[in-house]
Amino acid sequence: MAAPELHGQADRFTVSPSAGICFTITCRGASSFETQLLRLKGSRGEEANPELGGTAVRSSINARYERRRHGICRHPYLEVPGSENVFSGAAGVTFGAFIRSDAPTAARQAVLTAWDTSMGAGFGIFLQKGKLTLLAGHGEARMELSIPEPLQPGIWYEVAATYDLASGLGALSQKPCSAGVGSRRIASPRARKTRTTTDHCRLAQLTPAPIMIGASAKLTSHWTAAEESFRGTIESPYAIANATSASDLPGLHARRLDSPALLAAWDFSQGHSDDGIHPDEVPDITGSFDARCVNAPLRAVQGHLGNAIENFRTAPERYGAIRLLDRQPDPERWQSQITLAVPESLESGFYAVRIRAANTEEYVPFVVSPPRQPTLHRADGTGAAPD
């Protein structure tokens, strides 16, 4: 029997007496887990290390908890709530965006998808072995269509994919873009060419799955992101609830808003404020399917038309991209949470919460800081810390 998988993290590393610290825990392969608060050796001088052992401390979190099933994706992405069945009854589907990959040859990466990775079904644009790939599948039928010319890191591409349910025709296009700050120069004439490829595979229907930007979906107790995250920058993704002819895919972004079957189009340049702060929701231009940022992707990023002169205040339309850098998971997305209210009597020093399930252990270290010294008030009304 395989050992359980445990992972935990705290929402902060240092906590003051009378404050709270929240631990979020994932447990797979066991029905429950046990937590215990430890005071670590080395807390009075040398660096504390959970592996050196510790002394158990009486605490309200010393207990056994039932495992709650949920999936966590560590990488940033965007989800589109309520989009699970948007292609039900549609004659076809078309996806498109501008993308710039940081690591095209990394493991399979989902760019723009309505794909259920647990079933291997749906529709989506992916990167596989450095190549732009269209995946479409339902039941035993599956199409995997790739462009032979691999994507180059640091270069912007306009990409688009389509599938026609009636004919079974799928098509995929990539068009290099040489403009944009930070874009590498396209040296090879071969790499400058627009590529389009097609294939046939009859699917009975389009499998229901939510639209994800920079990820694909998997179903546990609810829809969440799979570990197929795109590593790079995305600009102006869109979804059309109909097929598009293969010859019309190159340059489709400029005509996307004219499509009568346009389902959603996201503009990451909207919502920028003077201080660069923007909401976690990205509006859908059509007004139907706003996208929600998960794990704090980087906003206000220069897109394929960016330049070194203007900034997001003077030319927000040139900052319409979003970069998917590795971040820690949003704490609110973890369903198993334990909060420790640090009592005033808890001595300052290094601590850890030990998580146990069967023969597996995980330690989450943190520091309790010394209590604040009271402020003494002089007769003139000024304050001073005690000597």
Side-chain angles (χ1 to χ4, degrees):
M1 183 176 180
E5 176 187 342
L6 289 174
H7 180 76
Q9 73 173 34
D11 64 354
R12 64 196 68 191
F13 183 67
T14 302
V15 62
S16 303
S18 300
I21 179 170
C22 180
F23 303 92
T24 48
I25 299 167
T26 294
C27 174
R28 297 186 179 93
S31 61
S32 63
F33 59 89
E34 182 181 5
T35 61
Q36 186 177 40
L37 179 62
L38 301 178
R39 180 173 173 80
L40 301 180
K41 295 178 181 179
S43 58
R44 291 190 179 276
E46 69 273 18
E47 183 180 357
N49 187 332
E51 294 182 358
L52 297 179
T55 303
V57 179
R58 293 184 63 182
S59 170
S60 60
I61 67 169
N62 293 351
R64 179 168 291 277
Y65 298 87
E66 293 299 315
R67 187 265 314 261
R68 296 181 66 180
R69 293 181 60 87
H70 57 284
I72 294 296
C73 178
R74 292 179 168 277
H75 306 288
Y77 63 95
L78 293 93
E79 62 185 5
V80 183
S83 62
E84 293 85 350
N85 297 297
V86 292
F87 297 112
S88 296
V93 56
T94 302
F95 280 167
F98 289 99
I99 67 170
R100 186 177 67 186
S101 174
D102 291 341
T105 58
R108 188 165 85 176
Q109 302 170 58
V111 178
L112 179 60
T113 71
W115 179 265
D116 181 354
T117 191
S118 58
M119 294 181 60
F123 177 86
I125 301 175
F126 293 80
L127 289 184
Q128 290 192 146
K129 298 180 180 179
K131 298 177 181 179
L132 191 72
T133 301
L134 160 64
L135 295 181
H138 178 78
E140 297 296 324
R142 174 166 165 155
M143 173 188 292
E144 184 171 324
L145 175 62
S146 297
I147 293 178
E149 186 70 34
L151 267 67
Q152 300 300 310
I155 292 178
W156 279 103
Y157 293 86
E158 180 186 351
V159 302
T162 189
Y163 179 78
D164 188 308
L165 195 63
S167 66
L169 177 66
L172 181 66
S173 171
Q174 69 183 40
K175 179 182 179 182
C177 306
S178 58
V181 169
S183 290
R184 292 176 51 194
R185 194 164 177 266
I186 305 174
S188 167
R190 179 179 175 84
R192 295 193 195 107
K193 293 183 179 180
T194 298
R195 306 284 179 177
T196 303
T197 186
T198 62
D199 198 4
H200 283 82
C201 179
R202 295 299 296 271
L203 306 180
Q205 65 181 62
L206 295 172
T207 300
I211 297 176
M212 294 277 194
I213 303 171
S216 57
K218 65 179 178 181
L219 184 62
T220 53
S221 58
H222 63 285
W223 285 108
T224 187
E227 294 288 344
E228 296 180 335
S229 306
F230 177 65
R231 300 177 184 179
T233 308
I234 299 179
E235 181 182 13
S236 298
Y238 60 90
I240 298 173
N242 206 346
T244 302
S245 66
S247 60
D248 287 339
L249 287 182
L252 179 60
H253 177 271
R255 306 185 304 274
R256 71 197 190 288
L257 301 183
D258 297 330
S259 172
L262 180 66
L263 182 73
W266 297 277
D267 185 353
F268 299 140
S269 70
Q270 295 189 18
H272 294 176
S273 62
D274 290 340
D275 57 5
I277 298 175
H278 13 250
D280 289 335
E281 296 238 340
V282 178
D284 168 18
I285 294 174
T286 70
S288 301
F289 294 101
D290 292 349
R292 182 184 301 154
C293 295
V294 181
N295 294 339
L298 186 63
R299 300 283 306 274
V301 176
Q302 287 182 331
H304 74 290
L305 296 178
N307 59 52
I309 301 174
E310 296 167 312
N311 57 49
F312 72 89
R313 295 184 182 90
T314 60
E317 69 279 1
R318 296 184 182 272
Y319 285 75
I322 194 164
R323 191 171 184 195
L324 306 181
L325 298 168
D326 284 356
R327 301 291 182 100
Q328 289 295 320
D330 294 336
E332 61 268 20
R333 302 190 67 79
W334 294 57
Q335 298 181 23
S336 297
Q337 296 187 343
I338 299 169
T339 300
L340 170 64
V342 180
E344 289 277 2
S345 59
L346 193 63
E347 189 177 356
S348 62
F350 289 90
Y351 291 82
V353 170
R354 178 168 59 194
I355 311 165
R356 285 177 169 174
N359 59 345
T360 302
E361 291 187 349
E362 166 84 348
Y363 292 84
V364 185
F366 66 99
V367 174
V368 175
S369 62
R372 290 184 178 180
Q373 295 293 324
T375 301
L376 302 180
H377 292 275
R378 301 190 180 100
D380 61 3
T382 62
D387 295 333

